[in-house]
Amino acid sequence: MTVIVTGGAGFIGSNFIFYMLKRYPDYRIICLDKLTYAGNFSTLASVMDNPRFRFVRADICDRKAVYNLFEEEHPDIVVNFAAESHVDRSIENPCLFLKTNIIGTATIMDACREYGIIRYHQVSTDEVYGDLPLDRPDLLFTEETPIRTSSPYSSSKAAADLLVLAYHRTYGLPVTISRCSNNYGPYHFPEKLIPLMIINALSDKPLPVYGEGINVRDWLYVEDHCKAIDLIIHKGRAGEVYNIGGRNEMRNIDVVKMICDALGKPYTLIRFVTDRKGHDLRYAIDATKIHNELGWFPETKFADGIKKTVQWYLDNREWWETIISGEYQNYYEKMYGNI
Ligand code: NAD
Ligand code: TYD
């Protein structure tokens, strides 16, 4: 089998590449990635010499480059992780999100139609369902929950999902979609909550918590997510959507306090800052469908996953120090310069 993984130099895509190379010793994995600010070539250093791995730098919106790669590799499976993925950046620059997340998805699927594939898998997000109220813990997102987005990011992901389902119905493309909750783990780019807090706490810098810190996210350890995608691409039914969640809802403030505890840092580092515009209150996933159909469930408890994650950031300082010394500094200054 030959698998093209787009966005494989990013957080989840790179973890998926490591997982697949290990799990399937006879698979070839091709990473197609533009290496935007969020993509790190160094993340893939450990697999660059693997004869079953190939890295290609290209934009998923570049039809010629995408078709050339399909012509050379004739992939059996394509897993699309490539995206602009940060809500705060989407609030600043929506159009870039529309281009990459929608046009890029269509371009990759057109190549799949042209060359033929066994499975196209779209990595989507629970954010397409909008948010849930804080005072209704009984409500969860199912695959039947209507699409009702809040941010330019989630709107672009929702548009891509609709397009994926349209390609299934119109052209018979064998697609699947997964909608997962917030991931955490190694190689997470430090603009996102958990790595940002770990890295700031390590340098005794303020920990910026939006609003009152009461927004709730359902945290999923990245390796559990990779296992779910593996099951879906091999055993999931074409044309179907699968929710993937961590069964682990936490308020942001409690996550930040756990990180402080893990690092022995005082809560006085915490600063409540201006809330994000349109900030979704709560995400919570009902993952019954993937559990019943494919036997998947999240194996990693948050207490263990967060310890492993904190340890990874302690052991891999060079990886994140290189990131935060670059373009990231301008972003950080713009977002958090006044705290
Ligand atoms: P990330 O931002 O860490 O990585 C994105 C990768 O895509 C980077 O390597 C980047 O270089 C690449 N990329 C961006 N634009 C590209 C383009 N035009 N052409 C080719 N490559 C391009 O993202 P992530 O957190 O790993 O998320 C991966 C996928 O999972 C995304 O589709 C995201 O929407 C989805 N998702 C993420 C989470 C999460 O918690 N991180 C939750 C739900 C869904
Ligand atoms: P984030 O990691 O950006 O993921 P998402 O917005 O996709 O859920 O944010 C997770 C939560 O943490 C979200 O409610 C926003 C909040 N947050 C902060 O409070 N401070 C921060 O500096 C960041 C980046 C996020």
Side-chain angles (χ1 to χ4, degrees), residues 1 5 7-8 12 19 59 62 94 102 117-118 156 170-171 181 183 193 201-202 217 222 226 265 274 286 293:
M1 286 277 199
V5 176
I12 311 175
Y19 173 83
D59 187 330
D62 181 344
I102 306 172
I117 36 97
I118 299 172
S156 69
T170 308
Y171 307 114
S181 56
N183 284 220
L193 179 76
L202 279 172
R217 297 294 183 264
V222 65
C226 295
K265 298 291 181 181
T274 311
D286 179 345
E293 276 190 28

Side-chain angles (χ1 to χ4, degrees), residues 110-143:
D110 282 344
C112 291
R113 287 202 293 134
E114 178 77 21
Y115 290 91
I117 36 97
I118 299 172
R119 176 59 55 87
Y120 171 86
H121 182 73
Q122 176 75 0
V123 180
S124 184
T125 167
D126 59 0
E127 299 190 29
V128 300
Y129 300 122
D131 62 355
L132 295 164
L134 292 174
D135 59 356
R136 288 290 308 274
D138 55 311
L139 296 181
L140 304 171
F141 297 136
T142 73
E143 289 81 359

Side-chain angles (χ1 to χ4, degrees), residues 5-15 31-41 44 55-62 66 80-86 96-97 99-101 104-105 108 122-127 153 156-157 178-184 187-189 191-192 218-220 222 225 229 244 319:
V5 176
T6 68
F11 165 43
I12 311 175
S14 61
N15 278 282
C31 172
L32 183 156
D33 197 295
K34 185 181 178 182
L35 295 180
T36 66
Y37 79 92
N40 277 285
F41 197 51
L44 297 169
F55 178 81
V56 176
R57 184 173 192 179
D59 187 330
I60 55 166
C61 303
D62 181 344
V66 169
N80 184 23
F81 290 93
E84 288 293 335
S85 69
H86 192 36
L96 175 61
F97 282 66
K99 182 157 187 254
T100 296
N101 299 358
T105 297
I108 297 282
Q122 176 75 0
V123 180
S124 184
T125 167
D126 59 0
E127 299 190 29
Y153 163 68
S156 69
K157 294 294 288 185
S178 53
R179 294 181 179 147
C180 66
S181 56
N182 288 58
N183 284 220
Y184 68 104
Y187 298 107
H188 203 179
F189 194 83
E191 67 188 349
K192 305 279 169 54
D218 168 14
W219 293 98
L220 170 68
V222 65
H225 183 197
I229 295 176
I244 309 173
W319 182 84

